[in-house]
Amino acid sequence: MAIRKAVKGTAVVASGGLVAFYGLTKLTEYRKKQARLSRVEAVEQVNMAFQDELPSRQAQLTALRNTQEFDVLVVGGGATGSGCALDAVTRNLKTALVERDDFSSGTSSRSTKLIHGGVRYLQKAIVKLDYEQYMMVKEALHERSNLLNIAPHLTALLPIMLPIYKWWQLPYYWAGIKIYDLVAGAQCLKSSYILTKTKALELFPMLKRDKLVGAIVYYDGQHNDARMNLAIALTAARYGAAIANYTEVVHLLKRVDPQMGKERVCGAHCRDVITGQEFDVRAKCVINATGPFTDALRKMDDQKNPNICQPSAGVHIVIPGYYSPDNMGLLDPATSDGRVIFFLPWEKMTIAGTTDTPTEITPHPIPMEEDINFILTEVRNYLSPDVEVRRGDVLAAWSGIRPLVTNPNSKDTQSICRNHIVHISDSGLVTIAGGKWTTYRSMAEDTLDAAVKAHNLSAGPSKTVGLMLEGAKDWTPTMYIRLVQDYGLEVEVAQHLASSYGGRAYEVAKMAHVTGKRWPIVGKRLVSEFPYIESEVQYAIKEYACTAIDVIARRTRLGFLNVQAAEEALPRIVDIMGKQLTWSEQRKREELSAAKQFLYYEMGYKARSEQLTDTSEITLTPAEVGRYMKRFHKFDKENKGFITTVDVQRVLESINVYIDADTLHEILNEVDLNKNGQVEFNEFLQLMSAVKKGQVSANRLAILMKTAEQSLDQTEPLEQREPVDQRKPVSVDRSGGGV
């Protein structure tokens, strides 16, 4: 079997050599494109008016209403739609963009956070000698390089380890990864390399060591996807595009072309979701860049249009940062069912995913428990048995809908197009669909090229290669030091602001209020364990944030990193936004409720909370039940069979610990399964059983009661204490005083 696999691998490598040769012949072309990077930005600065102050959302809506006719109206504010708007406006076309939700509210904020060419696509291209797949990888590698250049504050190189557990796989995968480097040509980020087993475990100590042969490390890019999407949209706005989120297309406008004698799309009737006001936006060309909702707009154009979108759900989970090294990712190339799983450090946490399953199109996709458990199982397969991968460590989970498409231009309508497609309907509606995050810019370029030709627009070629995005111009790797020195921010906060806002971080820092402490001087955190500060909420409004969800999900990434921390920050976020936007008390309550619903369903809070239910099986030994009964009765002095906030507060005060009533209520509510305002003994046992099984971790009540019990035991008479290990501690004198 091993010999057959080795022979097969050799054959594949041989065929891969042909592809590698083709890639090498294209190095000259790559170098020419690379040379363009250094000169396009200067050209843009000279030829385009750039607004240093962003127009308000109200000013943008006024522009949409009052402009007689735009050259281009883009529908959809994801990465592709925002890219189309930026491409159009930098060609000196009068440009508008509308998005019915928030910028990046859909798939573009729910990605794997990688900027990559696609190692697995290259593998398919080699094995099947598939030229289309090869060209898709080639294009993505070029775009990867460009994206790392135009948004250096939002992007970074990321080494990704491919662990090898069979000797024959080492030359096979090494050859494939080397071809990946060769296809990248002059835009190869860093050369891949082989690691011995010892070195692999040194760099990735959590890795399973049994049967490990070695590892291969290659480089791709990583980014903050939602903020990248926002940077593209804001850059378009600064160049003069009229863009508005929460602006829904109700129906398309059409007129009869006198020359052709048939109806042509000439704009859209829109509705401001916030106020309910409706208005027309007229344009010579309308671009459909709505991702998974492509077919909905196509059917607005013509009900007879067939569906071309075949949605696929990709679920990701976030687990604590200690599951992976700070600067090394992991690729599982062949999971138990053949899918690929990435295991990546991101924002000091660890992302694992993604799944790939057929799904229904919905604006609010929900991560399913079976997908979360599938990812956890695959993670366990690659990590050391010493690392207990617990369901309770899943801090957040989300599902994104990948809009795979069939090409309406093709005779074979059943085959899925692996690349993007641009289609122009009989009425002139331009549709861009498919593709991937990394190639958003080239997708936009192809779309505008087709639109300019089909609608006879007066425009030159695309100018977005090398065009620096929002925040990139004044960013340097050490600018965070100036933020610390000039404003008195914490180092971690300053690093976060620099990497999220680039050169615009100074504007956020200027808004920060004085803390009244010796250090930090300014910058009050929204929650203690994350570097997000209150002034970011104020700045988010300048960046067109309209709801609390916009802040926790896309202006900051708190909702994607830890749902409980996000929920904790919500009241303060709503309070700040309420003052800035003059919300009524009713509106504040609605915002708080909507944001909690978002966290509960779309960010995995529901799946997390369901790990502890009133039907959870209790798997504790009699000895464990006895121990927990003793702990429970330290709080339930009256033997009521339940405890309340009053009981807990009384015990805490006896050991000089003080927690406010609202926080105590939150702590007990997490365990109060039947929601009757008290925690019964059976509910407490269910909690401890779930903790034992790893379904729940870091539960506040469990830790609080254990800590309180230990403090109480220290004050009890010796004869009443629980038996403890009687061995005496070794004196520190035996180890040099403990130094």
Side-chain angles (χ1 to χ4, degrees), residues 424-452:
I424 300 175
S425 72
D426 292 340
S427 64
L429 177 68
V430 180
T431 295
I432 170 67
K436 55 192 284 187
W437 222 122
T438 307
T439 59
Y440 84 90
R441 192 214 62 82
S442 63
M443 292 167 65
E445 179 179 346
D446 291 349
T447 305
L448 266 297
D449 285 346
V452 166

PDB file of all heavy atoms in Angstrom, residues 424-452:
ATOM      1  N   ILE A 424     -23.892  39.583 -17.796  1.00  0.00           N
ATOM      2  CA  ILE A 424     -24.690  40.767 -18.112  1.00  0.00           C
ATOM      3  C   ILE A 424     -26.016  40.306 -18.696  1.00  0.00           C
ATOM      4  O   ILE A 424     -26.054  39.587 -19.711  1.00  0.00           O
ATOM      5  CB  ILE A 424     -23.959  41.689 -19.094  1.00  0.00           C
ATOM      6  CG1 ILE A 424     -22.629  42.135 -18.470  1.00  0.00           C
ATOM      7  CG2 ILE A 424     -24.823  42.902 -19.442  1.00  0.00           C
ATOM      8  CD1 ILE A 424     -21.755  42.946 -19.379  1.00  0.00           C
ATOM      9  N   SER A 425     -27.109  40.683 -18.058  1.00  0.00           N
ATOM     10  CA  SER A 425     -28.438  40.247 -18.494  1.00  0.00           C
ATOM     11  C   SER A 425     -28.891  41.047 -19.717  1.00  0.00           C
ATOM     12  O   SER A 425     -28.262  42.038 -20.105  1.00  0.00           O
ATOM     13  CB  SER A 425     -29.447  40.433 -17.360  1.00  0.00           C
ATOM     14  OG  SER A 425     -29.712  41.817 -17.164  1.00  0.00           O
ATOM     15  N   ASP A 426     -29.984  40.627 -20.301  1.00  0.00           N
ATOM     16  CA  ASP A 426     -30.531  41.324 -21.470  1.00  0.00           C
ATOM     17  C   ASP A 426     -30.896  42.770 -21.151  1.00  0.00           C
ATOM     18  O   ASP A 426     -30.873  43.638 -22.027  1.00  0.00           O
ATOM     19  CB  ASP A 426     -31.775  40.593 -21.990  1.00  0.00           C
ATOM     20  CG  ASP A 426     -31.437  39.236 -22.596  1.00  0.00           C
ATOM     21  OD1 ASP A 426     -30.258  39.036 -22.963  1.00  0.00           O
ATOM     22  OD2 ASP A 426     -32.338  38.383 -22.691  1.00  0.00           O
ATOM     23  N   SER A 427     -31.238  43.019 -19.889  1.00  0.00           N
ATOM     24  CA  SER A 427     -31.612  44.383 -19.490  1.00  0.00           C
ATOM     25  C   SER A 427     -30.411  45.200 -19.013  1.00  0.00           C
ATOM     26  O   SER A 427     -30.571  46.348 -18.596  1.00  0.00           O
ATOM     27  CB  SER A 427     -32.663  44.326 -18.379  1.00  0.00           C
ATOM     28  OG  SER A 427     -32.121  43.720 -17.227  1.00  0.00           O
ATOM     29  N   GLY A 428     -29.225  44.609 -19.041  1.00  0.00           N
ATOM     30  CA  GLY A 428     -28.016  45.341 -18.702  1.00  0.00           C
ATOM     31  C   GLY A 428     -27.544  45.204 -17.268  1.00  0.00           C
ATOM     32  O   GLY A 428     -26.547  45.834 -16.878  1.00  0.00           O
ATOM     33  N   LEU A 429     -28.243  44.388 -16.433  1.00  0.00           N
ATOM     34  CA  LEU A 429     -27.789  44.185 -15.057  1.00  0.00           C
ATOM     35  C   LEU A 429     -26.484  43.390 -15.072  1.00  0.00           C
ATOM     36  O   LEU A 429     -26.416  42.298 -15.643  1.00  0.00           O
ATOM     37  CB  LEU A 429     -28.842  43.441 -14.242  1.00  0.00           C
ATOM     38  CG  LEU A 429     -28.460  43.097 -12.797  1.00  0.00           C
ATOM     39  CD1 LEU A 429     -28.347  44.362 -11.952  1.00  0.00           C
ATOM     40  CD2 LEU A 429     -29.474  42.135 -12.176  1.00  0.00           C
ATOM     41  N   VAL A 430     -25.458  43.939 -14.435  1.00  0.00           N
ATOM     42  CA  VAL A 430     -24.153  43.279 -14.377  1.00  0.00           C
ATOM     43  C   VAL A 430     -24.068  42.508 -13.061  1.00  0.00           C
ATOM     44  O   VAL A 430     -24.204  43.086 -11.987  1.00  0.00           O
ATOM     45  CB  VAL A 430     -22.999  44.295 -14.454  1.00  0.00           C
ATOM     46  CG1 VAL A 430     -21.649  43.583 -14.395  1.00  0.00           C
ATOM     47  CG2 VAL A 430     -23.109  45.130 -15.728  1.00  0.00           C
ATOM     48  N   THR A 431     -23.839  41.203 -13.142  1.00  0.00           N
ATOM     49  CA  THR A 431     -23.740  40.364 -11.943  1.00  0.00           C
ATOM     50  C   THR A 431     -22.329  39.824 -11.802  1.00  0.00           C
ATOM     51  O   THR A 431     -21.771  39.267 -12.747  1.00  0.00           O
ATOM     52  CB  THR A 431     -24.733  39.186 -12.006  1.00  0.00           C
ATOM     53  OG1 THR A 431     -26.068  39.689 -11.980  1.00  0.00           O
ATOM     54  CG2 THR A 431     -24.548  38.238 -10.830  1.00  0.00           C
ATOM     55  N   ILE A 432     -21.744  40.013 -10.616  1.00  0.00           N
ATOM     56  CA  ILE A 432     -20.463  39.405 -10.283  1.00  0.00           C
ATOM     57  C   ILE A 432     -20.730  38.418  -9.144  1.00  0.00           C
ATOM     58  O   ILE A 432     -21.304  38.776  -8.117  1.00  0.00           O
ATOM     59  CB  ILE A 432     -19.398  40.461  -9.881  1.00  0.00           C
ATOM     60  CG1 ILE A 432     -18.147  39.792  -9.293  1.00  0.00           C
ATOM     61  CG2 ILE A 432     -19.954  41.470  -8.884  1.00  0.00           C
ATOM     62  CD1 ILE A 432     -17.354  38.960 -10.261  1.00  0.00           C
ATOM     63  N   ALA A 433     -20.318  37.167  -9.330  1.00  0.00           N
ATOM     64  CA  ALA A 433     -20.617  36.131  -8.330  1.00  0.00           C
ATOM     65  C   ALA A 433     -19.476  35.130  -8.256  1.00  0.00           C
ATOM     66  O   ALA A 433     -18.681  34.992  -9.187  1.00  0.00           O
ATOM     67  CB  ALA A 433     -21.924  35.425  -8.685  1.00  0.00           C
ATOM     68  N   GLY A 434     -19.436  34.404  -7.123  1.00  0.00           N
ATOM     69  CA  GLY A 434     -18.394  33.406  -6.925  1.00  0.00           C
ATOM     70  C   GLY A 434     -17.113  34.049  -6.412  1.00  0.00           C
ATOM     71  O   GLY A 434     -17.124  35.089  -5.768  1.00  0.00           O
ATOM     72  N   GLY A 435     -15.988  33.390  -6.713  1.00  0.00           N
ATOM     73  CA  GLY A 435     -14.699  33.919  -6.302  1.00  0.00           C
ATOM     74  C   GLY A 435     -14.389  33.700  -4.839  1.00  0.00           C
ATOM     75  O   GLY A 435     -15.026  32.900  -4.152  1.00  0.00           O
ATOM     76  N   LYS A 436     -13.396  34.415  -4.342  1.00  0.00           N
ATOM     77  CA  LYS A 436     -12.954  34.267  -2.957  1.00  0.00           C
ATOM     78  C   LYS A 436     -12.478  35.624  -2.442  1.00  0.00           C
ATOM     79  O   LYS A 436     -12.238  36.554  -3.217  1.00  0.00           O
ATOM     80  CB  LYS A 436     -11.855  33.220  -2.853  1.00  0.00           C
ATOM     81  CG  LYS A 436     -10.657  33.479  -3.752  1.00  0.00           C
ATOM     82  CD  LYS A 436      -9.721  32.284  -3.851  1.00  0.00           C
ATOM     83  CE  LYS A 436      -8.894  32.152  -2.599  1.00  0.00           C
ATOM     84  NZ  LYS A 436      -7.861  31.097  -2.738  1.00  0.00           N
ATOM     85  N   TRP A 437     -12.335  35.720  -1.115  1.00  0.00           N
ATOM     86  CA  TRP A 437     -11.974  36.994  -0.485  1.00  0.00           C
ATOM     87  C   TRP A 437     -10.697  37.562  -1.107  1.00  0.00           C
ATOM     88  O   TRP A 437     -10.622  38.739  -1.453  1.00  0.00           O
ATOM     89  CB  TRP A 437     -11.755  36.790   1.009  1.00  0.00           C
ATOM     90  CG  TRP A 437     -12.316  37.852   1.901  1.00  0.00           C
ATOM     91  CD1 TRP A 437     -13.229  37.668   2.904  1.00  0.00           C
ATOM     92  CD2 TRP A 437     -12.005  39.262   1.934  1.00  0.00           C
ATOM     93  NE1 TRP A 437     -13.517  38.873   3.538  1.00  0.00           N
ATOM     94  CE2 TRP A 437     -12.772  39.864   2.961  1.00  0.00           C
ATOM     95  CE3 TRP A 437     -11.165  40.082   1.176  1.00  0.00           C
ATOM     96  CZ2 TRP A 437     -12.713  41.232   3.251  1.00  0.00           C
ATOM     97  CZ3 TRP A 437     -11.105  41.449   1.467  1.00  0.00           C
ATOM     98  CH2 TRP A 437     -11.878  41.996   2.493  1.00  0.00           C
ATOM     99  N   THR A 438      -9.681  36.729  -1.230  1.00  0.00           N
ATOM    100  CA  THR A 438      -8.372  37.203  -1.672  1.00  0.00           C
ATOM    101  C   THR A 438      -8.431  37.882  -3.030  1.00  0.00           C
ATOM    102  O   THR A 438      -7.683  38.831  -3.285  1.00  0.00           O
ATOM    103  CB  THR A 438      -7.379  36.028  -1.714  1.00  0.00           C
ATOM    104  OG1 THR A 438      -7.391  35.360  -0.442  1.00  0.00           O
ATOM    105  CG2 THR A 438      -5.968  36.491  -2.021  1.00  0.00           C
ATOM    106  N   THR A 439      -9.328  37.432  -3.895  1.00  0.00           N
ATOM    107  CA  THR A 439      -9.352  37.946  -5.269  1.00  0.00           C
ATOM    108  C   THR A 439     -10.414  39.026  -5.484  1.00  0.00           C
ATOM    109  O   THR A 439     -10.788  39.305  -6.612  1.00  0.00           O
ATOM    110  CB  THR A 439      -9.596  36.795  -6.270  1.00  0.00           C
ATOM    111  OG1 THR A 439     -10.848  36.157  -5.972  1.00  0.00           O
ATOM    112  CG2 THR A 439      -8.489  35.768  -6.209  1.00  0.00           C
ATOM    113  N   TYR A 440     -10.882  39.653  -4.405  1.00  0.00           N
ATOM    114  CA  TYR A 440     -11.950  40.647  -4.539  1.00  0.00           C
ATOM    115  C   TYR A 440     -11.561  41.745  -5.536  1.00  0.00           C
ATOM    116  O   TYR A 440     -12.385  42.241  -6.308  1.00  0.00           O
ATOM    117  CB  TYR A 440     -12.269  41.274  -3.172  1.00  0.00           C
ATOM    118  CG  TYR A 440     -11.346  42.415  -2.824  1.00  0.00           C
ATOM    119  CD1 TYR A 440     -11.658  43.720  -3.177  1.00  0.00           C
ATOM    120  CD2 TYR A 440     -10.115  42.178  -2.201  1.00  0.00           C
ATOM    121  CE1 TYR A 440     -10.774  44.768  -2.911  1.00  0.00           C
ATOM    122  CE2 TYR A 440      -9.249  43.203  -1.934  1.00  0.00           C
ATOM    123  CZ  TYR A 440      -9.572  44.502  -2.292  1.00  0.00           C
ATOM    124  OH  TYR A 440      -8.698  45.524  -2.048  1.00  0.00           O
ATOM    125  N   ARG A 441     -10.284  42.167  -5.525  1.00  0.00           N
ATOM    126  CA  ARG A 441      -9.863  43.291  -6.370  1.00  0.00           C
ATOM    127  C   ARG A 441      -9.898  42.933  -7.852  1.00  0.00           C
ATOM    128  O   ARG A 441     -10.394  43.704  -8.680  1.00  0.00           O
ATOM    129  CB  ARG A 441      -8.451  43.754  -5.961  1.00  0.00           C
ATOM    130  CG  ARG A 441      -8.043  45.106  -6.578  1.00  0.00           C
ATOM    131  CD  ARG A 441      -6.556  45.175  -6.891  1.00  0.00           C
ATOM    132  NE  ARG A 441      -6.166  44.170  -7.860  1.00  0.00           N
ATOM    133  CZ  ARG A 441      -6.313  44.313  -9.178  1.00  0.00           C
ATOM    134  NH1 ARG A 441      -6.855  45.394  -9.686  1.00  0.00           N
ATOM    135  NH2 ARG A 441      -5.925  43.336  -9.994  1.00  0.00           N
ATOM    136  N   SER A 442      -9.381  41.749  -8.184  1.00  0.00           N
ATOM    137  CA  SER A 442      -9.396  41.346  -9.595  1.00  0.00           C
ATOM    138  C   SER A 442     -10.822  41.058 -10.058  1.00  0.00           C
ATOM    139  O   SER A 442     -11.160  41.292 -11.224  1.00  0.00           O
ATOM    140  CB  SER A 442      -8.499  40.124  -9.819  1.00  0.00           C
ATOM    141  OG  SER A 442      -8.963  39.009  -9.096  1.00  0.00           O
ATOM    142  N   MET A 443     -11.668  40.562  -9.143  1.00  0.00           N
ATOM    143  CA  MET A 443     -13.087  40.380  -9.475  1.00  0.00           C
ATOM    144  C   MET A 443     -13.728  41.724  -9.807  1.00  0.00           C
ATOM    145  O   MET A 443     -14.482  41.850 -10.784  1.00  0.00           O
ATOM    146  CB  MET A 443     -13.818  39.723  -8.302  1.00  0.00           C
ATOM    147  CG  MET A 443     -13.422  38.285  -8.034  1.00  0.00           C
ATOM    148  SD  MET A 443     -14.017  37.680  -6.440  1.00  0.00           S
ATOM    149  CE  MET A 443     -15.783  37.734  -6.676  1.00  0.00           C
ATOM    150  N   ALA A 444     -13.414  42.740  -8.997  1.00  0.00           N
ATOM    151  CA  ALA A 444     -13.958  44.073  -9.247  1.00  0.00           C
ATOM    152  C   ALA A 444     -13.447  44.630 -10.574  1.00  0.00           C
ATOM    153  O   ALA A 444     -14.196  45.242 -11.347  1.00  0.00           O
ATOM    154  CB  ALA A 444     -13.583  45.000  -8.097  1.00  0.00           C
ATOM    155  N   GLU A 445     -12.176  44.411 -10.848  1.00  0.00           N
ATOM    156  CA  GLU A 445     -11.599  44.895 -12.109  1.00  0.00           C
ATOM    157  C   GLU A 445     -12.295  44.246 -13.306  1.00  0.00           C
ATOM    158  O   GLU A 445     -12.680  44.941 -14.266  1.00  0.00           O
ATOM    159  CB  GLU A 445     -10.101  44.597 -12.146  1.00  0.00           C
ATOM    160  CG  GLU A 445      -9.422  45.040 -13.427  1.00  0.00           C
ATOM    161  CD  GLU A 445      -7.926  44.759 -13.434  1.00  0.00           C
ATOM    162  OE1 GLU A 445      -7.362  44.465 -12.371  1.00  0.00           O
ATOM    163  OE2 GLU A 445      -7.327  44.843 -14.533  1.00  0.00           O
ATOM    164  N   ASP A 446     -12.475  42.930 -13.264  1.00  0.00           N
ATOM    165  CA  ASP A 446     -13.166  42.234 -14.365  1.00  0.00           C
ATOM    166  C   ASP A 446     -14.600  42.741 -14.522  1.00  0.00           C
ATOM    167  O   ASP A 446     -15.101  42.890 -15.638  1.00  0.00           O
ATOM    168  CB  ASP A 446     -13.185  40.724 -14.101  1.00  0.00           C
ATOM    169  CG  ASP A 446     -11.808  40.089 -14.213  1.00  0.00           C
ATOM    170  OD1 ASP A 446     -10.877  40.760 -14.701  1.00  0.00           O
ATOM    171  OD2 ASP A 446     -11.658  38.924 -13.793  1.00  0.00           O
ATOM    172  N   THR A 447     -15.256  42.998 -13.379  1.00  0.00           N
ATOM    173  CA  THR A 447     -16.642  43.459 -13.410  1.00  0.00           C
ATOM    174  C   THR A 447     -16.751  44.830 -14.061  1.00  0.00           C
ATOM    175  O   THR A 447     -17.614  45.067 -14.919  1.00  0.00           O
ATOM    176  CB  THR A 447     -17.222  43.525 -11.982  1.00  0.00           C
ATOM    177  OG1 THR A 447     -17.076  42.249 -11.366  1.00  0.00           O
ATOM    178  CG2 THR A 447     -18.687  43.910 -12.002  1.00  0.00           C
ATOM    179  N   LEU A 448     -15.870  45.754 -13.657  1.00  0.00           N
ATOM    180  CA  LEU A 448     -15.913  47.103 -14.231  1.00  0.00           C
ATOM    181  C   LEU A 448     -15.494  47.112 -15.697  1.00  0.00           C
ATOM    182  O   LEU A 448     -16.041  47.883 -16.499  1.00  0.00           O
ATOM    183  CB  LEU A 448     -15.051  48.051 -13.406  1.00  0.00           C
ATOM    184  CG  LEU A 448     -15.790  48.841 -12.316  1.00  0.00           C
ATOM    185  CD1 LEU A 448     -16.840  49.779 -12.954  1.00  0.00           C
ATOM    186  CD2 LEU A 448     -16.470  47.944 -11.308  1.00  0.00           C
ATOM    187  N   ASP A 449     -14.544  46.255 -16.060  1.00  0.00           N
ATOM    188  CA  ASP A 449     -14.176  46.150 -17.483  1.00  0.00           C
ATOM    189  C   ASP A 449     -15.398  45.759 -18.312  1.00  0.00           C
ATOM    190  O   ASP A 449     -15.664  46.347 -19.374  1.00  0.00           O
ATOM    191  CB  ASP A 449     -13.069  45.109 -17.668  1.00  0.00           C
ATOM    192  CG  ASP A 449     -11.703  45.609 -17.205  1.00  0.00           C
ATOM    193  OD1 ASP A 449     -11.559  46.834 -16.995  1.00  0.00           O
ATOM    194  OD2 ASP A 449     -10.790  44.771 -17.042  1.00  0.00           O
ATOM    195  N   ALA A 450     -16.145  44.759 -17.818  1.00  0.00           N
ATOM    196  CA  ALA A 450     -17.340  44.307 -18.538  1.00  0.00           C
ATOM    197  C   ALA A 450     -18.422  45.381 -18.540  1.00  0.00           C
ATOM    198  O   ALA A 450     -19.095  45.591 -19.560  1.00  0.00           O
ATOM    199  CB  ALA A 450     -17.869  43.024 -17.892  1.00  0.00           C
ATOM    200  N   ALA A 451     -18.593  46.082 -17.420  1.00  0.00           N
ATOM    201  CA  ALA A 451     -19.625  47.113 -17.314  1.00  0.00           C
ATOM    202  C   ALA A 451     -19.329  48.294 -18.229  1.00  0.00           C
ATOM    203  O   ALA A 451     -20.224  48.825 -18.893  1.00  0.00           O
ATOM    204  CB  ALA A 451     -19.736  47.578 -15.866  1.00  0.00           C
ATOM    205  N   VAL A 452     -18.067  48.720 -18.249  1.00  0.00           N
ATOM    206  CA  VAL A 452     -17.667  49.842 -19.100  1.00  0.00           C
ATOM    207  C   VAL A 452     -17.940  49.519 -20.567  1.00  0.00           C
ATOM    208  O   VAL A 452     -18.464  50.351 -21.324  1.00  0.00           O
ATOM    209  CB  VAL A 452     -16.174  50.177 -18.872  1.00  0.00           C
ATOM    210  CG1 VAL A 452     -15.643  51.097 -19.964  1.00  0.00           C
ATOM    211  CG2 VAL A 452     -15.970  50.811 -17.504  1.00  0.00           C
TER     212      VAL A 452
END
